[in-house]
Amino acid sequence: MDQKIFNLWMVVIAIISVFTGEIVTFMMLYLVIFTLREINKTIRSFYEDWKNTRLIK
């Protein structure tokens, strides 16, 4: 996910959470989304490495 889109979603969710009073839910959701984003980056990195080493052989 692009950084700008990620930040946009976080701002939208933060505004909604302020109006609904669910600040703790927002913080937990942020942690989950952030963690999933980092896992996705790691998997993509492994895939790129795997793809490049596979092409060399």
Side-chain angles (χ1 to χ4, degrees), residues 3-54:
Q3 184 67 29
K4 291 179 183 178
I5 295 172
F6 177 75
N7 290 337
L8 176 69
W9 274 110
M10 286 297 108
V11 168
V12 169
I13 293 171
I15 292 169
I16 292 171
S17 70
V18 167
F19 285 121
T20 61
E22 295 290 334
I23 303 299
V24 174
T25 303
F26 167 71
M27 293 187 314
M28 292 174 61
L29 183 60
Y30 174 78
L31 288 174
V32 168
I33 291 174
F34 182 77
T35 303
L36 288 174
R37 203 170 126 239
E38 292 301 316
I39 290 170
N40 186 16
K41 283 182 185 178
T42 304
I43 290 173
R44 284 179 190 240
S45 172
F46 286 152
Y47 174 71
E48 289 299 321
D49 288 344
W50 175 77
K51 188 169 66 172
N52 289 335
T53 58
R54 197 170 148 212

